[in-house]
Amino acid sequence: MLAHSLTFVLGILISFWLITAILIALKANMFDWSAPAGPGVFSGDFWLGRGAEGVVNWAFWFENPWVNFCLLGLMLAMGLSMFGVFEIGVKATTMGNDLQHRKGYAGSFWSGALATVISTPCSAPFLGQAIGAAMLQPPLGIVLCLTMMGLGMSLPYIILGAFPVLTRYLPKPGAWMESFKQSMSFLMFGTAAYFLWIYMAFFDAENHPQDILFLFFGLVLFSMAFWVYGRWCPMYRSRKSRITGGIFSVIFLLAGLYYMLPPEGAAWFGRGSAPGAAESAAAAPSLQEEGNIWIPWSPEAMQAALDGGKPVYVDFTARWCSTCQVNKASYTDEVLAAFKKYGIVMMKADKTRTNPAIDQELKNLGRTAVPVNALYLPGRKPAVTRELLSPAYLLEFLEKEMER
C-alpha cells in the first residue's frame, strides 16, 4: 500500500516538475526584446535570477502586457469553470482512463499524474496565486516552490498510504463539494479583477477611452463563448448541437480576444492607440500642476528640482506590486501636509511597464525591486525608507532627514 502511494506521489511530483520546466522556459524568454540578451540557462546567474546587467529581475514578467492579457483570460476562464458555466477536465479524465487503470506501479504512477491535471480546476484558487508568486522568484526559487507544492499535494496520499485506517474519517462526497467549488470561483474572479486593473494601465485611457470600453465588451464576449460551450457542447448533447455550439463558441471567443488585445496587438489590426501611448501620456507632464500631488518621475525632472534647491521624494511603484498599493494608504492628510511643510517635490516612478531609466535608478540605490521610496536632498546621498510604510514612520522619517 505504501509503495503504491509513493509511486502515486512520484507521478504528482514529475507532473509539477514539467510545469516548472514550462514556467522557467517562459521566464527565460519574456525579457524585453530590445534589451540585451540574458545569461544562458546553464549559468549560475540565470538560476539566481540575474539579468544581462546583473540586476535581479523580480516580477519583470508583469511589465509585459501580453502576460497580463493571458493571466486575465486564464483567471476569468477558470472562475467561470468553477462556477459551473462550463466544465473542464472531462476530456482529460477520458483520455487518461486507460493509463490510470493499468495494473501495478504503472497504474499508480499515471493515477498521480492524472490527479495533478484533473485537480487543476479545484486547486486553482490556491495554486493560481501561488504559481504567480513563484514566478516572482529566480528559476531556482521556482523549482523549490513548485516542488513544495507537489509535496503538499502528495502529503495526504503519503499519510493515507502509511495509515490506511484514516480513510474512514474522510468526509463523504456530496452536494457540498459543488457548493464549495462554486464559492471558490469568487477568488478567481477577484484575481481576474486585479489583473484587469493592472492590464488597464497599458491603455491610453485619457486620449483613447474607447479602448477601455472595447476591453470590457471583449470580456463579455469572452465569457459568453464559455457559456455557449457549456450550454450546447456537453457530450450528452446531439452532434448537431455540439457542432453549432462549437462554431458560435469559437466566434465569440475570437471576437472577445480581439477586443481584449493590448495596444501592441490591436495595432496589428489598425485599431486602438499606438503601442507605448499610455506610457508616453503618463510621462508627458513635467510640472506639478495645481491640485496634483504627484508628478511623473524622470531623471531630468528630478535633477532640475534638485538643481533648484528643492528636495525630491520618489515613490518607485507598480500596479502589479501589492505592497506598493498597501503603502498608498500611508499618505494621509497629515503626511501630505508634512511634505508640503518641507517643500518636498513628490514624484512617482511607475514601473508597471518596462522602464530602463527606473531600473537604472533602482540599481543606483542598490535596490532591484519595488516598492522603493527615496528622499533626495541637494548635495546629499538619497535616503531610502523601509519597504512597508505607515503614517507614523513617514512623519518620523521626514523629520529626521529634513532637520538634521
Side-chain angles (χ1 to χ4, degrees), residues 326-363:
V326 173
N327 283 342
K328 298 294 185 286
S330 299
Y331 297 105
T332 61
D333 291 341
E334 185 181 5
V335 172
L336 295 177
F339 277 103
K340 187 175 182 180
K341 169 187 171 183
Y342 294 118
I344 300 173
V345 178
M346 301 176 67
M347 293 187 173
K348 183 173 294 183
D350 192 346
K351 193 173 157 51
T352 301
R353 297 187 70 117
T354 301
N355 190 318
I358 294 178
D359 290 338
Q360 183 58 48
E361 189 62 28
L362 289 174
K363 186 177 179 181

PDB file of all heavy atoms in Angstrom, residues 326-363:
ATOM      1  N   VAL A 326      -0.586  48.800  -0.735  1.00  0.00           N
ATOM      2  CA  VAL A 326      -0.799  48.930   0.711  1.00  0.00           C
ATOM      3  C   VAL A 326      -0.145  50.208   1.223  1.00  0.00           C
ATOM      4  O   VAL A 326      -0.711  50.928   2.069  1.00  0.00           O
ATOM      5  CB  VAL A 326      -0.228  47.688   1.443  1.00  0.00           C
ATOM      6  CG1 VAL A 326      -0.276  47.889   2.960  1.00  0.00           C
ATOM      7  CG2 VAL A 326      -1.007  46.439   1.054  1.00  0.00           C
ATOM      8  N   ASN A 327       1.032  50.523   0.702  1.00  0.00           N
ATOM      9  CA  ASN A 327       1.748  51.721   1.149  1.00  0.00           C
ATOM     10  C   ASN A 327       1.011  53.004   0.812  1.00  0.00           C
ATOM     11  O   ASN A 327       1.201  54.032   1.482  1.00  0.00           O
ATOM     12  CB  ASN A 327       3.148  51.764   0.521  1.00  0.00           C
ATOM     13  CG  ASN A 327       4.116  50.816   1.204  1.00  0.00           C
ATOM     14  OD1 ASN A 327       3.884  50.369   2.330  1.00  0.00           O
ATOM     15  ND2 ASN A 327       5.211  50.505   0.535  1.00  0.00           N
ATOM     16  N   LYS A 328       0.163  52.991  -0.225  1.00  0.00           N
ATOM     17  CA  LYS A 328      -0.547  54.210  -0.623  1.00  0.00           C
ATOM     18  C   LYS A 328      -1.410  54.745   0.514  1.00  0.00           C
ATOM     19  O   LYS A 328      -1.630  55.962   0.615  1.00  0.00           O
ATOM     20  CB  LYS A 328      -1.427  53.927  -1.848  1.00  0.00           C
ATOM     21  CG  LYS A 328      -0.662  53.490  -3.092  1.00  0.00           C
ATOM     22  CD  LYS A 328       0.219  54.589  -3.632  1.00  0.00           C
ATOM     23  CE  LYS A 328       0.883  54.188  -4.936  1.00  0.00           C
ATOM     24  NZ  LYS A 328       1.977  53.210  -4.762  1.00  0.00           N
ATOM     25  N   ALA A 329      -1.899  53.852   1.369  1.00  0.00           N
ATOM     26  CA  ALA A 329      -2.760  54.285   2.475  1.00  0.00           C
ATOM     27  C   ALA A 329      -1.990  55.083   3.525  1.00  0.00           C
ATOM     28  O   ALA A 329      -2.595  55.738   4.381  1.00  0.00           O
ATOM     29  CB  ALA A 329      -3.419  53.070   3.124  1.00  0.00           C
ATOM     30  N   SER A 330      -0.661  55.050   3.478  1.00  0.00           N
ATOM     31  CA  SER A 330       0.146  55.768   4.472  1.00  0.00           C
ATOM     32  C   SER A 330       0.251  57.258   4.188  1.00  0.00           C
ATOM     33  O   SER A 330       0.656  58.029   5.050  1.00  0.00           O
ATOM     34  CB  SER A 330       1.565  55.165   4.524  1.00  0.00           C
ATOM     35  OG  SER A 330       1.523  53.804   4.898  1.00  0.00           O
ATOM     36  N   TYR A 331      -0.127  57.665   2.972  1.00  0.00           N
ATOM     37  CA  TYR A 331      -0.039  59.086   2.625  1.00  0.00           C
ATOM     38  C   TYR A 331      -1.327  59.795   3.048  1.00  0.00           C
ATOM     39  O   TYR A 331      -2.158  60.188   2.225  1.00  0.00           O
ATOM     40  CB  TYR A 331       0.229  59.244   1.124  1.00  0.00           C
ATOM     41  CG  TYR A 331       1.545  58.647   0.699  1.00  0.00           C
ATOM     42  CD1 TYR A 331       1.589  57.435   0.004  1.00  0.00           C
ATOM     43  CD2 TYR A 331       2.748  59.255   1.014  1.00  0.00           C
ATOM     44  CE1 TYR A 331       2.793  56.869  -0.379  1.00  0.00           C
ATOM     45  CE2 TYR A 331       3.971  58.693   0.641  1.00  0.00           C
ATOM     46  CZ  TYR A 331       3.976  57.497  -0.048  1.00  0.00           C
ATOM     47  OH  TYR A 331       5.187  56.925  -0.412  1.00  0.00           O
ATOM     48  N   THR A 332      -1.491  59.923   4.347  1.00  0.00           N
ATOM     49  CA  THR A 332      -2.660  60.591   4.911  1.00  0.00           C
ATOM     50  C   THR A 332      -2.528  62.106   4.763  1.00  0.00           C
ATOM     51  O   THR A 332      -1.482  62.626   4.342  1.00  0.00           O
ATOM     52  CB  THR A 332      -2.797  60.230   6.394  1.00  0.00           C
ATOM     53  OG1 THR A 332      -1.616  60.693   7.093  1.00  0.00           O
ATOM     54  CG2 THR A 332      -2.923  58.723   6.587  1.00  0.00           C
ATOM     55  N   ASP A 333      -3.587  62.827   5.123  1.00  0.00           N
ATOM     56  CA  ASP A 333      -3.559  64.292   5.041  1.00  0.00           C
ATOM     57  C   ASP A 333      -2.433  64.861   5.902  1.00  0.00           C
ATOM     58  O   ASP A 333      -1.781  65.842   5.524  1.00  0.00           O
ATOM     59  CB  ASP A 333      -4.908  64.868   5.486  1.00  0.00           C
ATOM     60  CG  ASP A 333      -6.017  64.560   4.488  1.00  0.00           C
ATOM     61  OD1 ASP A 333      -5.692  64.245   3.331  1.00  0.00           O
ATOM     62  OD2 ASP A 333      -7.201  64.626   4.864  1.00  0.00           O
ATOM     63  N   GLU A 334      -2.208  64.254   7.055  1.00  0.00           N
ATOM     64  CA  GLU A 334      -1.146  64.723   7.947  1.00  0.00           C
ATOM     65  C   GLU A 334       0.226  64.546   7.302  1.00  0.00           C
ATOM     66  O   GLU A 334       1.097  65.429   7.385  1.00  0.00           O
ATOM     67  CB  GLU A 334      -1.216  63.975   9.278  1.00  0.00           C
ATOM     68  CG  GLU A 334      -0.218  64.482  10.309  1.00  0.00           C
ATOM     69  CD  GLU A 334      -0.306  63.705  11.614  1.00  0.00           C
ATOM     70  OE1 GLU A 334      -1.073  62.722  11.673  1.00  0.00           O
ATOM     71  OE2 GLU A 334       0.409  64.082  12.570  1.00  0.00           O
ATOM     72  N   VAL A 335       0.437  63.401   6.654  1.00  0.00           N
ATOM     73  CA  VAL A 335       1.710  63.133   5.999  1.00  0.00           C
ATOM     74  C   VAL A 335       1.901  64.075   4.812  1.00  0.00           C
ATOM     75  O   VAL A 335       2.985  64.642   4.611  1.00  0.00           O
ATOM     76  CB  VAL A 335       1.781  61.661   5.544  1.00  0.00           C
ATOM     77  CG1 VAL A 335       3.012  61.426   4.681  1.00  0.00           C
ATOM     78  CG2 VAL A 335       1.800  60.736   6.759  1.00  0.00           C
ATOM     79  N   LEU A 336       0.849  64.276   4.018  1.00  0.00           N
ATOM     80  CA  LEU A 336       0.953  65.175   2.873  1.00  0.00           C
ATOM     81  C   LEU A 336       1.229  66.610   3.320  1.00  0.00           C
ATOM     82  O   LEU A 336       1.958  67.346   2.642  1.00  0.00           O
ATOM     83  CB  LEU A 336      -0.339  65.109   2.044  1.00  0.00           C
ATOM     84  CG  LEU A 336      -0.635  63.771   1.361  1.00  0.00           C
ATOM     85  CD1 LEU A 336      -1.965  63.825   0.639  1.00  0.00           C
ATOM     86  CD2 LEU A 336       0.475  63.394   0.385  1.00  0.00           C
ATOM     87  N   ALA A 337       0.652  66.990   4.460  1.00  0.00           N
ATOM     88  CA  ALA A 337       0.925  68.329   4.995  1.00  0.00           C
ATOM     89  C   ALA A 337       2.398  68.467   5.383  1.00  0.00           C
ATOM     90  O   ALA A 337       2.994  69.547   5.221  1.00  0.00           O
ATOM     91  CB  ALA A 337       0.022  68.591   6.199  1.00  0.00           C
ATOM     92  N   ALA A 338       2.993  67.388   5.881  1.00  0.00           N
ATOM     93  CA  ALA A 338       4.413  67.415   6.239  1.00  0.00           C
ATOM     94  C   ALA A 338       5.285  67.571   4.988  1.00  0.00           C
ATOM     95  O   ALA A 338       6.268  68.314   4.988  1.00  0.00           O
ATOM     96  CB  ALA A 338       4.786  66.141   6.985  1.00  0.00           C
ATOM     97  N   PHE A 339       4.914  66.873   3.910  1.00  0.00           N
ATOM     98  CA  PHE A 339       5.650  67.042   2.651  1.00  0.00           C
ATOM     99  C   PHE A 339       5.575  68.500   2.182  1.00  0.00           C
ATOM    100  O   PHE A 339       6.564  69.075   1.724  1.00  0.00           O
ATOM    101  CB  PHE A 339       5.071  66.115   1.574  1.00  0.00           C
ATOM    102  CG  PHE A 339       5.601  64.703   1.619  1.00  0.00           C
ATOM    103  CD1 PHE A 339       4.837  63.678   2.153  1.00  0.00           C
ATOM    104  CD2 PHE A 339       6.852  64.408   1.125  1.00  0.00           C
ATOM    105  CE1 PHE A 339       5.313  62.379   2.186  1.00  0.00           C
ATOM    106  CE2 PHE A 339       7.346  63.111   1.146  1.00  0.00           C
ATOM    107  CZ  PHE A 339       6.576  62.089   1.696  1.00  0.00           C
ATOM    108  N   LYS A 340       4.382  69.086   2.293  1.00  0.00           N
ATOM    109  CA  LYS A 340       4.203  70.477   1.868  1.00  0.00           C
ATOM    110  C   LYS A 340       4.984  71.434   2.762  1.00  0.00           C
ATOM    111  O   LYS A 340       5.579  72.409   2.285  1.00  0.00           O
ATOM    112  CB  LYS A 340       2.710  70.821   1.886  1.00  0.00           C
ATOM    113  CG  LYS A 340       2.387  72.183   1.307  1.00  0.00           C
ATOM    114  CD  LYS A 340       0.883  72.405   1.237  1.00  0.00           C
ATOM    115  CE  LYS A 340       0.559  73.766   0.617  1.00  0.00           C
ATOM    116  NZ  LYS A 340      -0.910  73.988   0.553  1.00  0.00           N
ATOM    117  N   LYS A 341       5.006  71.136   4.052  1.00  0.00           N
ATOM    118  CA  LYS A 341       5.723  71.984   5.009  1.00  0.00           C
ATOM    119  C   LYS A 341       7.211  72.077   4.664  1.00  0.00           C
ATOM    120  O   LYS A 341       7.819  73.161   4.736  1.00  0.00           O
ATOM    121  CB  LYS A 341       5.540  71.402   6.413  1.00  0.00           C
ATOM    122  CG  LYS A 341       6.437  72.026   7.478  1.00  0.00           C
ATOM    123  CD  LYS A 341       6.308  71.258   8.788  1.00  0.00           C
ATOM    124  CE  LYS A 341       7.350  71.731   9.801  1.00  0.00           C
ATOM    125  NZ  LYS A 341       7.290  70.937  11.053  1.00  0.00           N
ATOM    126  N   TYR A 342       7.801  70.966   4.283  1.00  0.00           N
ATOM    127  CA  TYR A 342       9.230  70.937   3.971  1.00  0.00           C
ATOM    128  C   TYR A 342       9.516  71.292   2.507  1.00  0.00           C
ATOM    129  O   TYR A 342      10.671  71.281   2.088  1.00  0.00           O
ATOM    130  CB  TYR A 342       9.809  69.559   4.279  1.00  0.00           C
ATOM    131  CG  TYR A 342       9.799  69.214   5.751  1.00  0.00           C
ATOM    132  CD1 TYR A 342       9.065  68.134   6.228  1.00  0.00           C
ATOM    133  CD2 TYR A 342      10.526  69.967   6.673  1.00  0.00           C
ATOM    134  CE1 TYR A 342       9.061  67.811   7.582  1.00  0.00           C
ATOM    135  CE2 TYR A 342      10.527  69.648   8.024  1.00  0.00           C
ATOM    136  CZ  TYR A 342       9.794  68.573   8.472  1.00  0.00           C
ATOM    137  OH  TYR A 342       9.782  68.254   9.812  1.00  0.00           O
ATOM    138  N   GLY A 343       8.474  71.583   1.736  1.00  0.00           N
ATOM    139  CA  GLY A 343       8.664  71.960   0.342  1.00  0.00           C
ATOM    140  C   GLY A 343       9.202  70.850  -0.528  1.00  0.00           C
ATOM    141  O   GLY A 343       9.965  71.088  -1.469  1.00  0.00           O
ATOM    142  N   ILE A 344       8.792  69.626  -0.243  1.00  0.00           N
ATOM    143  CA  ILE A 344       9.301  68.462  -0.972  1.00  0.00           C
ATOM    144  C   ILE A 344       8.486  68.245  -2.244  1.00  0.00           C
ATOM    145  O   ILE A 344       7.253  68.251  -2.220  1.00  0.00           O
ATOM    146  CB  ILE A 344       9.248  67.201  -0.091  1.00  0.00           C
ATOM    147  CG1 ILE A 344      10.106  67.398   1.164  1.00  0.00           C
ATOM    148  CG2 ILE A 344       9.689  65.979  -0.871  1.00  0.00           C
ATOM    149  CD1 ILE A 344       9.976  66.277   2.165  1.00  0.00           C
ATOM    150  N   VAL A 345       9.175  68.065  -3.362  1.00  0.00           N
ATOM    151  CA  VAL A 345       8.527  67.718  -4.626  1.00  0.00           C
ATOM    152  C   VAL A 345       8.284  66.204  -4.628  1.00  0.00           C
ATOM    153  O   VAL A 345       9.217  65.417  -4.458  1.00  0.00           O
ATOM    154  CB  VAL A 345       9.398  68.118  -5.829  1.00  0.00           C
ATOM    155  CG1 VAL A 345       8.718  67.703  -7.131  1.00  0.00           C
ATOM    156  CG2 VAL A 345       9.660  69.618  -5.821  1.00  0.00           C
ATOM    157  N   MET A 346       7.038  65.818  -4.815  1.00  0.00           N
ATOM    158  CA  MET A 346       6.670  64.403  -4.759  1.00  0.00           C
ATOM    159  C   MET A 346       6.545  63.857  -6.178  1.00  0.00           C
ATOM    160  O   MET A 346       5.747  64.338  -6.977  1.00  0.00           O
ATOM    161  CB  MET A 346       5.360  64.226  -3.994  1.00  0.00           C
ATOM    162  CG  MET A 346       5.415  64.757  -2.570  1.00  0.00           C
ATOM    163  SD  MET A 346       3.830  64.662  -1.708  1.00  0.00           S
ATOM    164  CE  MET A 346       3.617  62.888  -1.569  1.00  0.00           C
ATOM    165  N   MET A 347       7.334  62.845  -6.474  1.00  0.00           N
ATOM    166  CA  MET A 347       7.342  62.237  -7.804  1.00  0.00           C
ATOM    167  C   MET A 347       7.013  60.750  -7.717  1.00  0.00           C
ATOM    168  O   MET A 347       7.343  60.093  -6.738  1.00  0.00           O
ATOM    169  CB  MET A 347       8.709  62.416  -8.483  1.00  0.00           C
ATOM    170  CG  MET A 347       9.051  63.847  -8.824  1.00  0.00           C
ATOM    171  SD  MET A 347      10.580  63.944  -9.798  1.00  0.00           S
ATOM    172  CE  MET A 347      10.575  65.696 -10.208  1.00  0.00           C
ATOM    173  N   LYS A 348       6.379  60.267  -8.767  1.00  0.00           N
ATOM    174  CA  LYS A 348       6.018  58.849  -8.840  1.00  0.00           C
ATOM    175  C   LYS A 348       6.697  58.226 -10.052  1.00  0.00           C
ATOM    176  O   LYS A 348       6.518  58.675 -11.189  1.00  0.00           O
ATOM    177  CB  LYS A 348       4.508  58.690  -8.946  1.00  0.00           C
ATOM    178  CG  LYS A 348       4.036  57.245  -8.954  1.00  0.00           C
ATOM    179  CD  LYS A 348       2.522  57.150  -8.894  1.00  0.00           C
ATOM    180  CE  LYS A 348       1.996  57.663  -7.571  1.00  0.00           C
ATOM    181  NZ  LYS A 348       0.537  57.512  -7.447  1.00  0.00           N
ATOM    182  N   ALA A 349       7.502  57.196  -9.805  1.00  0.00           N
ATOM    183  CA  ALA A 349       8.169  56.445 -10.867  1.00  0.00           C
ATOM    184  C   ALA A 349       7.410  55.137 -11.062  1.00  0.00           C
ATOM    185  O   ALA A 349       7.563  54.197 -10.272  1.00  0.00           O
ATOM    186  CB  ALA A 349       9.628  56.189 -10.504  1.00  0.00           C
ATOM    187  N   ASP A 350       6.587  55.083 -12.095  1.00  0.00           N
ATOM    188  CA  ASP A 350       5.701  53.941 -12.322  1.00  0.00           C
ATOM    189  C   ASP A 350       6.397  52.885 -13.166  1.00  0.00           C
ATOM    190  O   ASP A 350       6.715  53.116 -14.340  1.00  0.00           O
ATOM    191  CB  ASP A 350       4.418  54.415 -13.009  1.00  0.00           C
ATOM    192  CG  ASP A 350       3.346  53.346 -13.003  1.00  0.00           C
ATOM    193  OD1 ASP A 350       3.658  52.174 -12.713  1.00  0.00           O
ATOM    194  OD2 ASP A 350       2.179  53.679 -13.292  1.00  0.00           O
ATOM    195  N   LYS A 351       6.623  51.716 -12.562  1.00  0.00           N
ATOM    196  CA  LYS A 351       7.324  50.617 -13.236  1.00  0.00           C
ATOM    197  C   LYS A 351       6.341  49.540 -13.703  1.00  0.00           C
ATOM    198  O   LYS A 351       6.719  48.392 -13.926  1.00  0.00           O
ATOM    199  CB  LYS A 351       8.362  50.035 -12.274  1.00  0.00           C
ATOM    200  CG  LYS A 351       9.364  49.103 -12.926  1.00  0.00           C
ATOM    201  CD  LYS A 351      10.459  48.715 -11.939  1.00  0.00           C
ATOM    202  CE  LYS A 351      11.118  47.409 -12.323  1.00  0.00           C
ATOM    203  NZ  LYS A 351      11.563  47.351 -13.708  1.00  0.00           N
ATOM    204  N   THR A 352       5.066  49.920 -13.863  1.00  0.00           N
ATOM    205  CA  THR A 352       4.102  48.942 -14.371  1.00  0.00           C
ATOM    206  C   THR A 352       4.540  48.424 -15.732  1.00  0.00           C
ATOM    207  O   THR A 352       4.446  47.235 -16.021  1.00  0.00           O
ATOM    208  CB  THR A 352       2.707  49.581 -14.472  1.00  0.00           C
ATOM    209  OG1 THR A 352       2.301  50.041 -13.180  1.00  0.00           O
ATOM    210  CG2 THR A 352       1.690  48.567 -14.974  1.00  0.00           C
ATOM    211  N   ARG A 353       5.029  49.334 -16.570  1.00  0.00           N
ATOM    212  CA  ARG A 353       5.631  48.942 -17.836  1.00  0.00           C
ATOM    213  C   ARG A 353       7.153  48.990 -17.709  1.00  0.00           C
ATOM    214  O   ARG A 353       7.682  49.701 -16.849  1.00  0.00           O
ATOM    215  CB  ARG A 353       5.189  49.892 -18.954  1.00  0.00           C
ATOM    216  CG  ARG A 353       3.707  49.874 -19.236  1.00  0.00           C
ATOM    217  CD  ARG A 353       3.410  50.699 -20.464  1.00  0.00           C
ATOM    218  NE  ARG A 353       3.908  50.042 -21.665  1.00  0.00           N
ATOM    219  CZ  ARG A 353       3.144  49.614 -22.660  1.00  0.00           C
ATOM    220  NH1 ARG A 353       1.843  49.799 -22.607  1.00  0.00           N
ATOM    221  NH2 ARG A 353       3.664  49.021 -23.708  1.00  0.00           N
ATOM    222  N   THR A 354       7.827  48.260 -18.563  1.00  0.00           N
ATOM    223  CA  THR A 354       9.289  48.255 -18.549  1.00  0.00           C
ATOM    224  C   THR A 354       9.822  49.668 -18.754  1.00  0.00           C
ATOM    225  O   THR A 354       9.417  50.365 -19.691  1.00  0.00           O
ATOM    226  CB  THR A 354       9.832  47.335 -19.654  1.00  0.00           C
ATOM    227  OG1 THR A 354       9.329  46.010 -19.443  1.00  0.00           O
ATOM    228  CG2 THR A 354      11.347  47.304 -19.639  1.00  0.00           C
ATOM    229  N   ASN A 355      10.719  50.093 -17.881  1.00  0.00           N
ATOM    230  CA  ASN A 355      11.297  51.429 -17.957  1.00  0.00           C
ATOM    231  C   ASN A 355      12.777  51.338 -17.577  1.00  0.00           C
ATOM    232  O   ASN A 355      13.108  51.268 -16.391  1.00  0.00           O
ATOM    233  CB  ASN A 355      10.552  52.388 -17.025  1.00  0.00           C
ATOM    234  CG  ASN A 355      10.949  53.832 -17.226  1.00  0.00           C
ATOM    235  OD1 ASN A 355      12.120  54.150 -17.387  1.00  0.00           O
ATOM    236  ND2 ASN A 355       9.961  54.725 -17.206  1.00  0.00           N
ATOM    237  N   PRO A 356      13.672  51.339 -18.564  1.00  0.00           N
ATOM    238  CA  PRO A 356      15.113  51.203 -18.271  1.00  0.00           C
ATOM    239  C   PRO A 356      15.645  52.300 -17.353  1.00  0.00           C
ATOM    240  O   PRO A 356      16.546  52.049 -16.553  1.00  0.00           O
ATOM    241  CB  PRO A 356      15.764  51.273 -19.655  1.00  0.00           C
ATOM    242  CG  PRO A 356      14.696  50.860 -20.610  1.00  0.00           C
ATOM    243  CD  PRO A 356      13.419  51.375 -20.021  1.00  0.00           C
ATOM    244  N   ALA A 357      15.094  53.523 -17.456  1.00  0.00           N
ATOM    245  CA  ALA A 357      15.568  54.625 -16.604  1.00  0.00           C
ATOM    246  C   ALA A 357      15.269  54.336 -15.136  1.00  0.00           C
ATOM    247  O   ALA A 357      16.092  54.590 -14.250  1.00  0.00           O
ATOM    248  CB  ALA A 357      14.924  55.939 -17.034  1.00  0.00           C
ATOM    249  N   ILE A 358      14.087  53.790 -14.870  1.00  0.00           N
ATOM    250  CA  ILE A 358      13.739  53.439 -13.494  1.00  0.00           C
ATOM    251  C   ILE A 358      14.611  52.292 -13.008  1.00  0.00           C
ATOM    252  O   ILE A 358      15.093  52.289 -11.867  1.00  0.00           O
ATOM    253  CB  ILE A 358      12.239  53.077 -13.396  1.00  0.00           C
ATOM    254  CG1 ILE A 358      11.372  54.319 -13.689  1.00  0.00           C
ATOM    255  CG2 ILE A 358      11.907  52.510 -12.023  1.00  0.00           C
ATOM    256  CD1 ILE A 358       9.883  54.039 -13.664  1.00  0.00           C
ATOM    257  N   ASP A 359      14.835  51.295 -13.877  1.00  0.00           N
ATOM    258  CA  ASP A 359      15.707  50.172 -13.498  1.00  0.00           C
ATOM    259  C   ASP A 359      17.100  50.664 -13.109  1.00  0.00           C
ATOM    260  O   ASP A 359      17.687  50.197 -12.131  1.00  0.00           O
ATOM    261  CB  ASP A 359      15.815  49.170 -14.660  1.00  0.00           C
ATOM    262  CG  ASP A 359      14.512  48.423 -14.893  1.00  0.00           C
ATOM    263  OD1 ASP A 359      13.709  48.352 -13.950  1.00  0.00           O
ATOM    264  OD2 ASP A 359      14.307  47.934 -16.011  1.00  0.00           O
ATOM    265  N   GLN A 360      17.615  51.616 -13.886  1.00  0.00           N
ATOM    266  CA  GLN A 360      18.950  52.135 -13.604  1.00  0.00           C
ATOM    267  C   GLN A 360      18.976  52.907 -12.289  1.00  0.00           C
ATOM    268  O   GLN A 360      19.924  52.786 -11.509  1.00  0.00           O
ATOM    269  CB  GLN A 360      19.410  53.048 -14.751  1.00  0.00           C
ATOM    270  CG  GLN A 360      20.819  53.591 -14.586  1.00  0.00           C
ATOM    271  CD  GLN A 360      21.865  52.506 -14.458  1.00  0.00           C
ATOM    272  OE1 GLN A 360      21.878  51.557 -15.243  1.00  0.00           O
ATOM    273  NE2 GLN A 360      22.727  52.615 -13.454  1.00  0.00           N
ATOM    274  N   GLU A 361      17.935  53.679 -12.023  1.00  0.00           N
ATOM    275  CA  GLU A 361      17.889  54.444 -10.778  1.00  0.00           C
ATOM    276  C   GLU A 361      17.772  53.515  -9.571  1.00  0.00           C
ATOM    277  O   GLU A 361      18.385  53.750  -8.529  1.00  0.00           O
ATOM    278  CB  GLU A 361      16.724  55.430 -10.803  1.00  0.00           C
ATOM    279  CG  GLU A 361      16.712  56.414  -9.644  1.00  0.00           C
ATOM    280  CD  GLU A 361      17.943  57.306  -9.615  1.00  0.00           C
ATOM    281  OE1 GLU A 361      18.529  57.574 -10.693  1.00  0.00           O
ATOM    282  OE2 GLU A 361      18.332  57.740  -8.499  1.00  0.00           O
ATOM    283  N   LEU A 362      16.984  52.448  -9.717  1.00  0.00           N
ATOM    284  CA  LEU A 362      16.895  51.463  -8.636  1.00  0.00           C
ATOM    285  C   LEU A 362      18.258  50.831  -8.388  1.00  0.00           C
ATOM    286  O   LEU A 362      18.649  50.598  -7.236  1.00  0.00           O
ATOM    287  CB  LEU A 362      15.859  50.384  -8.985  1.00  0.00           C
ATOM    288  CG  LEU A 362      14.392  50.796  -8.963  1.00  0.00           C
ATOM    289  CD1 LEU A 362      13.511  49.660  -9.462  1.00  0.00           C
ATOM    290  CD2 LEU A 362      13.964  51.211  -7.559  1.00  0.00           C
ATOM    291  N   LYS A 363      18.966  50.542  -9.471  1.00  0.00           N
ATOM    292  CA  LYS A 363      20.310  49.974  -9.336  1.00  0.00           C
ATOM    293  C   LYS A 363      21.235  50.950  -8.620  1.00  0.00           C
ATOM    294  O   LYS A 363      22.060  50.557  -7.784  1.00  0.00           O
ATOM    295  CB  LYS A 363      20.852  49.622 -10.717  1.00  0.00           C
ATOM    296  CG  LYS A 363      22.185  48.891 -10.700  1.00  0.00           C
ATOM    297  CD  LYS A 363      22.612  48.527 -12.109  1.00  0.00           C
ATOM    298  CE  LYS A 363      23.955  47.807 -12.109  1.00  0.00           C
ATOM    299  NZ  LYS A 363      24.405  47.464 -13.489  1.00  0.00           N
TER     300      LYS A 363
END
